[in-house]
Amino acid sequence: MGEQTQVQVQTQTQSQAQNALHESSNSTTFIAQATIALSEVMNAPSQTSSLPSKMPLRPRKIRKLSPAESDPNSSQIVTIPDGPKPIVTGKSHKSKTAQQRAAFASAPVLPARSLSCEGEVEIALRHLGNADPLLAPLIDLHQRPTFDSFQTPFLALTRSILYQQLAYKAGTSIYTRFIALCGGDAGVLPETVLALNTQQLRQIGISGRKSSYLHDLARKYQNGILSDTAIVNMDDKSLFTMLTMVNGIGSWSVHMFMIFSLHRPDVLPINDLNVRKGVQLLYNLEELPRPSQMDQLCEKWRPYRSVGSWYMWRLAEAKGASSSAAAVAVGASLQLQQQEHQQEQQHQRQPQLLDPLNSILNLGACAWGQ
């Protein structure tokens, strides 16, 4: 009995020990498995790394493209959490200003109306009378200017070269012979001028230097650098640049050409002696204004400074100045305006030939022949 009880106790004890050992083994296995699983989770590459980073990134600056996506100065917006409105940085304002300036610069510029257009001179006179009260009496005193003469640009530029440093009568004589040599006005073409050698031009009174000027102008036409069509369509600034590239054509010559051949409305011949003299008289200045001062003095005449200059010639002429250089340069357009007055003083104002110094002073061509 005692031995049987002892055996049962030992058997029960072994059974409990085996159960405990089995539970311990299961627990150890579970722990090992959990450890392995956790290790795999820890070592696995993160595929949703952006998820935990959403909240910390919210206060950061967010770059937002402006409407012009190609603009390197795109707008930046600072986003404030729970803020009512975004704050636009100064860079955005600068970018917007730059875009507005670019749009303004790229906007098409309407071409100025020629003074030969119907009614344009009347509009110019009204503008000048209102803009500058000192001009109003001159406008009432003198006959209104007309801008109806027309020559092809090449012919007009050729004429301007031929009249350099000559009085009107002497220039007209040489010009008439030149036209005859070319076979008439219609024959004054680049190829015709290039076909005339220096000796042929000398025979009709054209100097060797002027011959080289004529040939240089004709070559630039022949090479396509200049053309009548391009000259007519160029803006004033580009035209000035291109024409002063021609030997023998300076800034004064270009201004005369633009006013009296192309009838451009807003040209101010700042180097013309008589225009400067007229400005001095008009504004009662103690000294003759320098060319650099002319733009500021005549600013109020815009956009009809060509017509204002015409009245400065008239004013200077009325005060005893020499005959207008414009008449010499472009074929007496102004002289025809005052034909009766000129006939009375023709013997005083048309010497046959001027020496170089006096011709510069009388023609007002401070930049003559550059």
Side-chain angles (χ1 to χ4, degrees):
M1 181 71 178
E3 294 178 357
Q4 184 178 1
T5 302
Q6 187 176 2
V7 171
Q8 290 178 349
V9 171
Q10 291 178 352
T11 302
Q12 185 177 3
T13 302
Q14 291 176 354
S15 176
Q16 290 177 352
Q18 289 177 355
N19 291 337
L21 182 61
H22 179 71
E23 290 176 0
S24 175
S25 176
N26 290 341
S27 175
T28 303
T29 302
F30 174 78
I31 292 173
Q33 291 176 349
T35 302
I36 293 172
L38 180 61
S39 175
E40 291 176 351
V41 171
M42 294 291 291
N43 295 328
S46 176
Q47 297 180 356
T48 57
S49 58
S50 61
L51 182 59
S53 64
K54 284 185 178 179
M55 292 302 295
L57 286 177
R58 283 182 182 174
R60 296 182 182 178
K61 294 181 180 180
I62 300 174
R63 190 173 187 84
K64 182 178 179 181
L65 290 178
S66 66
E69 295 182 358
S70 61
D71 189 354
N73 297 321
S74 300
S75 300
Q76 288 185 350
I77 297 180
V78 180
T79 303
I80 302 177
D82 300 328
K85 294 180 180 180
I87 298 176
V88 181
T89 64
K91 188 175 182 180
S92 173
H93 175 71
K94 293 180 181 179
S95 175
K96 183 177 180 181
T97 302
Q99 292 174 9
Q100 290 174 344
R101 289 178 179 175
F104 179 79
S106 62
V109 179
L110 296 177
R113 277 168 52 92
S114 168
L115 290 172
S116 57
C117 292
E118 184 177 359
E120 193 66 15
V121 171
E122 286 76 8
I123 295 174
L125 296 181
R126 286 197 299 270
H127 169 78
L128 292 172
N130 293 330
D132 191 345
L134 294 178
L135 274 180
L138 283 177
I139 294 173
D140 294 337
L141 179 63
H142 294 282
Q143 182 180 354
R144 62 183 293 279
T146 59
F147 297 90
D148 52 7
S149 60
F150 176 78
Q151 292 178 330
T152 62
F154 183 77
L155 178 60
L157 291 169
T158 300
R159 182 183 184 112
S160 177
I161 291 173
L162 290 176
Y163 272 90
Q164 287 182 15
Q165 299 185 0
L166 296 176
Y168 178 72
K169 186 175 181 179
T172 300
S173 177
I174 292 176
Y175 178 74
T176 302
R177 293 196 293 268
F178 173 76
I179 293 297
L181 190 62
C182 292
D185 287 350
V188 183
L189 301 171
E191 54 269 24
T192 306
V193 173
L194 287 174
L196 299 173
N197 58 42
T198 302
Q199 183 61 32
Q200 290 175 295
L201 295 173
R202 281 185 181 275
Q203 290 176 354
I204 60 173
I206 299 176
S207 67
R209 176 171 293 182
K210 286 187 180 180
S211 298
S212 69
Y213 295 164
L214 293 174
H215 287 157
D216 186 60
L217 173 64
R219 277 193 298 269
K220 284 181 169 57
Y221 262 78
Q222 191 176 60
N223 296 337
I225 298 174
L226 293 172
S227 70
D228 284 352
T229 301
I231 286 174
V232 170
N233 292 325
M234 280 184 199
D235 61 85
D236 291 353
K237 185 177 180 180
S238 299
L239 182 60
F240 184 90
T241 301
M242 294 301 294
L243 289 183
T244 51
M245 292 171 58
V246 179
N247 294 336
I249 296 182
S251 61
W252 185 88
S253 299
V254 176
H255 287 152
M256 296 302 102
F257 170 73
M258 291 168 67
I259 295 174
F260 295 102
S261 295
L262 300 183
H263 308 147
R264 298 285 175 93
D266 195 35
V267 179
L268 180 66
I270 60 174
N271 292 310
D272 186 277
L273 181 62
N274 284 341
V275 174
R276 294 166 59 201
K277 182 66 176 177
V279 170
Q280 180 187 14
L281 295 169
L282 182 69
Y283 297 120
N284 196 26
L285 304 177
E286 293 182 1
E287 298 180 354
L288 192 69
R290 296 187 299 273
S292 59
Q293 297 174 309
M294 291 290 290
D295 278 316
Q296 181 178 359
L297 290 169
C298 304
E299 177 66 24
K300 61 177 70 70
W301 299 352
R302 288 181 184 271
Y304 294 106
R305 292 182 299 172
S306 298
V307 181
S309 299
W310 192 92
Y311 281 100
M312 294 303 96
W313 279 310
R314 301 280 65 77
L315 177 58
E317 186 179 50
K319 296 298 182 179
S322 60
S323 60
S324 173
V328 175
V330 298
S333 174
L334 294 179
Q335 189 166 353
L336 292 175
Q337 303 279 333
Q338 305 290 334
Q339 187 173 5
E340 294 181 358
H341 176 67
Q342 288 185 359
Q343 286 176 349
E344 295 175 359
Q345 300 182 355
Q346 192 158 348
H347 66 284
Q348 298 177 359
R349 297 178 359 189
Q350 290 186 349
Q352 292 298 316
L353 181 64
L354 303 178
D355 63 82
L357 178 60
N358 287 334
S359 67
I360 291 177
L361 294 176
N362 283 285
L363 292 177
C366 297
W368 186 259
Q370 291 181 352

